[in-house]
Amino acid sequence: MLALRLARGAHPLVQLRRLLVAAASAGTGFLLLSTLGHALGHPETAANSVLRLAWCALPLAATVYFAVAVARSDPGTQPRAGLSAVGLGPARLTLLAAISTAIACTLGSMLALLFFLHLRGDLSGLPFDGAARELLAADRPLPLAATLTLLTWVPLAASAACALALRPRLAHPVKDTAEPQEPASAPTGLPWGFALLAAGLAVETYAAGVRGAAGSRLPGGLTGSPTGVLAGWTLTALGLALAGPGLTYLCGRALQSVRPSAVRLLAGRVLQEEARRIGRPLGVVCAVASGLYAAGVVYGERAAGVGPLATLGALLVVGCAVATLVTASFEARQARRHTTEALLRIGAPATALRGAVALRACALLAVFGPLTWLVAELSAAPLTAR
């Protein structure tokens, strides 16, 4: 009940983020239910149905990642002085964040079920009634247990991930955010990130060059993609996400080198401070962008059509990645609000603050842009040579 009251009285921007989480959960739930419809309509191709279910792991992971970012930025779950006295300690706030996330994801799952039943023709009286009867196996009864099991995946995974991600952060004592703090130490994941990135590209190149490699039929009509190539893409994405904080920290350090001005010094210090907060979402966006570029090159060369389910999955992954980055940026802006106000009070010009923002954006674009293009080209090269 307390979680519902906090959700009802939140800021409109916070409500919008929760609605976006519900929308992402609805899209992922519909993809999961579509795999069930395919399995019901094609019982002779069980392996293909299992592959489609495994393919839904990427939209599911993107939705959970976005839900965790929204829960982390929710002001209703932020630790504040005096809350422990009324029974809202760190553990209770973590529980409230997990419950709020579960509520939003459950709402999305229910919307996915209604839309799925509507397209099957089980619900009538709306536009597009029964428009996908053949695709969703409307002539076969829908198993209740399997349907409910698939619909609970997103709420359970998202709430568990929120509880796990927010517990260490909320367990720390509340500090006065008005006090100036030193930047965080350099992230240690950069070597491991580049190692995973190199390993992913090597696995993809090797798998694409092996003759007679076992292929997988992906949703959307792209056939003959070796399973090893998909594993290489996964390792590449993990490497970029792991290397993101370290690259962001190095961008901040580069801005402060060679006799920096006040604006460069401020921009570099802020990037170092926010390296862990925005670095990983930046790496994820780079991974998604490089994967889309490589997939677009391969689809265009093989003249393969992109189906509606593949389009929905791509939109979910891209939308969740971009929304997570935007949410992390807003969270970082709120975290340095007191510092910005202090600089304005002592007479710092607003143009200097805007210049620091522009410098940070240019530095990140100068590093992550070419890296994304390079990874995309290296990922697409082995597949176009087949």
Side-chain angles (χ1 to χ4, degrees):
M1 185 61 68
L2 180 58
L4 289 174
R5 290 181 178 178
L6 290 175
R8 185 182 61 182
H11 191 271
L13 184 60
V14 178
Q15 299 285 24
L16 177 61
R17 294 178 197 154
R18 291 169 178 167
L19 288 178
L20 290 177
V21 171
S25 176
T28 305
F30 181 79
L31 287 178
L32 292 171
L33 292 177
S34 299
T35 62
L36 178 60
H38 181 272
L40 293 175
H42 305 81
E44 69 281 356
T45 58
N48 195 9
S49 299
V50 173
L51 177 62
R52 286 172 174 264
L53 185 62
W55 177 80
C56 293
L58 189 58
L60 176 62
T63 301
V64 171
Y65 188 59
F66 177 48
V68 172
V70 170
R72 183 182 288 114
S73 63
D74 193 341
T77 60
Q78 299 294 327
R80 292 183 294 271
L83 289 182
S84 298
V86 295
L88 292 178
R92 187 71 180 275
L93 290 176
T94 304
L95 180 61
L96 287 177
I99 293 175
S100 300
T101 302
I103 291 174
C105 292
T106 302
L107 175 62
S109 296
M110 293 300 102
L111 291 176
L113 177 60
L114 292 177
F115 191 63
F116 178 78
L117 294 177
H118 170 59
L119 292 181
R120 273 174 52 96
D122 297 334
L123 299 178
S124 59
L126 295 173
F128 306 104
D129 181 27
R133 293 179 61 88
E134 296 182 1
L135 180 63
L136 302 180
D139 56 336
R140 296 178 180 271
L142 195 64
L144 179 60
T147 303
L148 294 180
T149 300
L150 290 176
L151 288 177
T152 56
W153 280 12
V154 178
L156 289 179
S159 58
C162 286
L164 184 63
L166 297 183
R167 179 182 57 86
R169 187 174 66 91
L170 295 179
H172 293 305
V174 181
K175 296 181 179 180
D176 186 5
T177 53
E179 296 180 359
Q181 299 179 10
E182 293 295 327
S185 57
T188 58
L190 187 59
W192 291 103
F194 277 113
L196 283 177
L197 178 61
L201 293 175
V203 169
E204 181 183 347
T205 303
Y206 175 78
V210 175
R211 294 184 177 181
S216 302
R217 189 182 190 280
L218 299 180
L222 185 59
T223 59
S225 297
T227 307
V229 173
L230 304 180
W233 276 357
T234 304
L235 288 177
T236 301
L238 291 176
L240 285 173
L242 194 59
L247 289 175
T248 304
Y249 188 88
L250 290 180
C251 288
R253 194 166 187 176
L255 284 176
Q256 301 176 77
S257 61
V258 192
R259 301 177 63 182
S261 62
V263 176
R264 286 174 52 197
L265 185 63
L266 177 61
R269 296 275 287 186
V270 170
L271 274 184
Q272 287 183 317
E273 180 73 25
E274 299 172 355
R276 286 183 173 85
R277 181 178 285 117
I278 66 173
R280 188 154 296 152
L282 269 174
V284 172
V285 169
C286 290
V288 171
S290 61
L292 282 179
Y293 175 82
V297 170
V298 175
Y299 270 85
E301 183 174 292
R302 301 186 184 181
V306 182
L309 295 181
T311 302
L312 176 60
L315 288 176
L316 280 173
V317 173
V318 174
C320 288
V322 174
T324 301
L325 179 59
V326 173
T327 302
S329 300
F330 274 111
E331 183 187 4
R333 183 179 179 182
Q334 288 297 112
R336 64 174 185 270
R337 185 186 64 224
H338 296 286
T339 302
T340 304
E341 293 174 354
L343 289 174
L344 292 175
R345 282 197 304 267
I346 63 176
T351 55
L353 299 181
R354 290 193 292 267
V357 173
L359 272 179
R360 294 199 299 271
C362 291
L364 293 176
L365 185 62
V367 172
F368 285 93
L371 177 63
T372 303
W373 174 81
L374 179 62
V375 172
E377 288 289 344
L378 292 177
S379 299
L383 296 178
T384 55
R386 285 173 60 85

